[in-house]
Amino acid sequence: MATPPNPMDNMKSTWRTWDRDQWKLPHKIFEHADVYHIELNRDVPIHPKEDKVPYVSDWSLNRWVLVNAGAPILAHQLFSYFTGYNFHPLIAFFYYYYASRLFTTRELRSLRELGHIHGFLDGDKHERDGVPDVGVSKALISVLLAGFVRPLMTICLTYDADKAPASLSWAWLPVEISLYGIILDFWFYWYHRIMHDVNGLWKFHRTHHLTKHPNPLLTIYADSEQEFFDIAGIPLMTWFTMRLMGMPMGFYEWHVCQLYVMFAELAGHSGLRLHASPPNPVTWLMRMFDAELVIEDHDLHHRRGWKKSHNYGKQTRVWDRVFGTCIPRIESAEANIDYDNPVSMSIL
């Protein structure tokens, strides 16, 4: 006898068109945050596969992250300089928690604007999935947990109230930013691949793959076991690895590294029809070995993969290239990239 379908697997998303009297608190929180992937009253351009895909420069993405990550750190340093005091750990947690929230809110709204300008991958076949009607609360809890746990973890492990932001290891910072995504991706690659390959673990990952055309709010839409590893387990393994390698990885450096990763996680689930790689100071080097990730790579992982898949990396294609799990790009194939009219991500 066939197993009846699980109603929680339904990815239909219509709640944004409901009468708002039907909304509950999670619906209202999403509405207040205004971080949807599209606005319902605006058109989204649809492109055939053979249309050229706009190129986003590595510099514009690194600039966006550095400005939006650096501004709160600079404000913190100015406070310490002019008052002679540094933040208490509790104050530091709330300060950097809200700084991270502002960072993600600004990114999500920027991604939405780019979607309305340039459209989405596979848009001629399927629109982007929304937050499902049956999973609004689940999606909200996932987003809130990620935003809360990571700053708390960073504060608890690395914050020193005797050290102002100017104390960060400036010489190490570019090295740590460059290596953090690559090392994190090593741990993520194997954890992610094992979740696909091992029957007993796939059940914890399948919920995340219910979406074939994800949007950024579904980045951590998953079962609790996967959420733990995505939110805390993999970042912790990366931090300990880099510490064992002799890198300082103090609070301020780790905060910046985590925002780089957060940026890539959201953009990687955006499905934007743009040829863009996760910001990293050594993307140019990875590109020489065809090991840089672009938005389409993870989009294809969702669209074409179920239990068996490819493109397991989230920050790079380094480990997919090393272990032979890359698949060819379609719209972001090299011959289809428009390098003559680059797109920049505005920092304003």
Side-chain angles (χ1 to χ4, degrees):
M1 183 175 178
T3 303
N6 185 343
M8 292 303 294
D9 287 354
N10 192 332
M11 293 300 293
K12 181 178 71 172
S13 180
T14 61
W15 63 270
R16 291 177 66 190
T17 64
W18 295 353
D19 186 315
R20 296 193 179 191
D21 290 340
Q22 297 179 265
W23 283 6
K24 297 181 180 178
L25 183 60
H27 303 89
K28 295 176 182 178
I29 292 174
F30 271 130
E31 179 71 11
H32 176 74
D34 186 26
V35 289
Y36 303 124
H37 67 291
I38 59 167
E39 297 175 28
L40 295 180
N41 60 349
R42 291 180 65 186
D43 292 335
V44 174
I46 296 174
H47 296 271
K49 299 287 192 296
E50 61 272 14
D51 276 7
K52 292 284 188 178
V53 176
Y55 167 73
V56 183
S57 71
D58 299 334
W59 163 240
S60 75
L61 298 179
N62 279 284
R63 178 186 62 190
W64 195 96
V65 174
L66 289 171
V67 168
N68 285 279
I73 295 175
L74 176 60
H76 181 177
Q77 175 59 38
L78 291 173
F79 171 84
S80 296
Y81 178 80
F82 286 111
T83 66
Y85 295 98
N86 197 13
F87 292 162
H88 182 276
L90 187 61
I91 300 299
F93 164 71
F94 283 107
Y95 179 80
Y96 283 98
Y97 164 71
Y98 280 105
S100 299
R101 279 189 55 181
L102 180 60
F103 180 97
T104 55
T105 298
R106 293 204 67 222
E107 181 186 357
L108 289 167
R109 292 175 182 173
S110 296
L111 295 175
R112 178 175 65 203
E113 187 62 26
L114 290 169
H116 280 293
I117 296 171
H118 301 286
F120 297 98
L121 295 161
D122 205 35
D124 56 339
K125 299 293 185 184
H126 198 288
E127 63 184 10
R128 287 286 117 182
D129 293 332
V131 174
D133 297 341
V134 297
V136 176
S137 296
K138 179 178 181 58
L140 178 64
I141 291 170
S142 298
V143 170
L144 293 178
L145 274 176
F148 183 85
V149 170
R150 285 179 179 174
L152 181 63
M153 176 178 72
T154 312
I155 289 284
C156 290
L157 283 175
T158 60
Y159 187 73
D160 184 345
D162 293 328
K163 294 182 178 179
S167 67
L168 69 83
S169 302
W170 294 100
W172 275 105
L173 183 60
V175 177
E176 290 169 324
I177 293 172
S178 299
L179 290 178
Y180 189 81
I182 297 171
I183 294 171
L184 180 141
D185 223 38
F186 173 80
W187 294 115
F188 180 82
Y189 174 91
W190 281 110
Y191 141 75
H192 189 190
R193 185 171 173 180
I194 288 169
M195 293 280 273
H196 277 267
D197 289 349
V198 176
N199 289 331
L201 297 179
W202 167 248
K203 63 182 179 181
F204 301 121
H205 189 50
R206 64 177 297 277
T207 297
H208 185 64
H209 272 271
L210 293 173
T211 173
K212 298 300 183 185
H213 295 82
N215 80 73
L217 292 178
L218 299 176
T219 297
I220 310 192
Y221 188 79
D223 290 335
S224 300
E225 293 81 1
Q226 176 179 334
E227 288 177 351
F228 167 77
F229 276 97
D230 283 352
I231 293 170
I234 300 300
L236 280 173
M237 291 168 71
T238 306
W239 182 76
F240 280 115
T241 300
M242 294 180 73
R243 290 282 292 172
L244 287 171
M245 293 171 66
M247 287 173 247
M249 287 302 291
F251 171 79
Y252 304 105
E253 300 101 293
W254 195 15
H255 174 71
V256 174
C257 288
Q258 292 213 73
L259 290 184
Y260 262 87
V261 166
M262 190 182 303
F263 181 94
E265 288 173 340
L266 296 175
H269 285 86
S270 70
L272 287 173
R273 197 173 188 277
L274 294 171
H275 189 76
S277 296
N280 188 307
V282 294
T283 298
W284 62 273
L285 180 60
M286 290 186 277
R287 189 171 289 119
M288 291 174 62
F289 298 94
D290 195 21
E292 88 290 5
L293 193 76
V294 298
I295 293 173
E296 188 176 32
D297 293 324
H298 195 68
D299 209 60
L300 287 171
H301 173 78
H302 274 270
R303 197 187 317 161
R304 295 191 163 189
W306 183 239
K307 188 174 182 301
K308 294 294 182 182
S309 192
H310 296 81
N311 294 357
Y312 295 105
K314 182 168 63 174
Q315 303 290 321
T316 74
R317 279 206 304 179
V318 168
W319 307 111
D320 281 294
R321 183 63 62 198
V322 169
F323 298 111
T325 49
C326 295
I327 55 173
R329 295 162 181 164
I330 301 171
E331 293 172 78
S332 278
E334 184 64 24
N336 208 39
I337 309 305
D338 183 3
Y339 291 106
D340 296 328
N341 300 290
V343 172
S344 291
M345 190 168 177
S346 173
I347 60 174
L348 299 177

